Amino acid sequence: MSDPPEGDGARAAHYVQSLERGLAVIRAFGADTPSLTLSEVARATGLTRAATRRFLLTLGDLGYVRSDGRHFALTPRVLELGYSFLSGLGFPDVALPHLERLVAQVDESSEASVLDGEDIVYVVRVPSTAVMTLAVNVGGRMPAHATSMGKVLLASLPDTELEAYLSRAALKRYLPRTVTDRDVLHEQLMKVRAAGYAIVDQELEEGLVAIAAPVRSRGGRVAGAINLSTHIARRSADQVRADLVGPLLQTAKAIEADLAGVA
């Protein structure tokens, strides 16, 4: 289990494989796997039982993992790893009060996210009084191609980065409406880029309709995206377009103005 030698064609000379493996152990835990045995972690990571045990015990010594003697689970301390990133963004702190006002105005749930690879990562969530079926939390991930915020973030990428995404992304179909054809998705993203917002009508979850807009920093770089989400029983896609585009875009502009002041 030693690190790859310098000059290994697959890895750069600086690459620390033990760090990669330790992070893989942390990532083995998730919403569907909050508690795992040593064997289950080894199976999920591809590590030997002996190596897995060392990583789990080390993470336990550091306070990131707890155990009842058989099962292992992450502790709240792992949140520190993500908090350092979120606290440096600025975007979530600035966006939160604006999204709270937006939700109070339209009574629909609102979130903010950033793009990470092929996924969006939620950095703010403000629920409405309406009952929604999609359960998301700060730090949660969703596929970019099937979400409104993902579409506006993808549409905001430089052409070369967008082409790279389209060439590598696994465009999984979640519902009949999910766009999985790369050419169709590219055409859709160009329309989103021109419009300045995206509407997703039941591409990720049955009944879920969402609209999103990008938020730019003072330099013009996209800092993230914000959305409003509802159920088809409350508002159709056409009603979302008629009722929510204006408030959402106004909120995006207000967040951008505040970001310009703190940038």
Side-chain angles (χ1 to χ4, degrees), residues 121-251:
V121 179
Y122 290 88
V123 295
V124 177
R125 181 167 192 265
V126 182
S128 74
T129 58
V131 176
M132 288 299 297
T133 56
L134 186 65
V136 296
N137 295 299
V138 172
R141 306 174 74 91
M142 291 291 176
H145 73 284
T147 57
S148 61
M149 289 192 289
K151 289 181 191 292
V152 295
L153 291 170
L154 291 172
S156 301
L157 290 174
D159 289 338
T160 53
E161 293 183 29
L162 178 57
E163 291 297 334
Y165 164 83
L166 290 170
S167 68
R168 71 173 188 271
L171 303 179
K172 179 180 176 180
R173 184 178 299 279
Y174 295 91
L175 290 172
R177 293 174 183 248
T178 309
V179 177
T180 58
D181 182 278
R182 297 176 196 280
D183 292 335
V184 173
L185 180 59
H186 183 270
E187 181 180 356
Q188 186 183 73
L189 294 176
M190 292 302 97
K191 293 179 180 178
V192 169
R193 184 183 289 181
Y197 66 89
I199 293 180
V200 164
D201 185 1
Q202 303 179 83
E203 289 193 39
L204 183 63
E205 180 173 318
E206 198 72 40
L208 181 68
V209 182
I211 182 170
V215 174
R216 299 181 183 277
S217 63
R218 183 170 60 181
R221 179 184 60 84
V222 171
I226 61 172
N227 82 343
L228 286 166
S229 55
T230 188
H231 193 275
I232 194 72
R234 287 171 55 83
R235 283 187 171 97
S236 68
D238 287 340
Q239 289 172 320
V240 165
R241 184 177 285 104
D243 298 343
L244 302 182
V245 169
L248 183 71
L249 293 181
Q250 290 171 7
T251 299

Side-chain angles (χ1 to χ4, degrees), residues 15-37:
Y15 197 85
V16 181
Q17 193 172 52
S18 58
L19 176 58
E20 176 197 27
R21 290 168 175 166
L23 293 173
V25 169
I26 292 175
R27 290 197 301 269
F29 299 91
D32 297 327
T33 54
S35 178
L36 296 169
T37 65

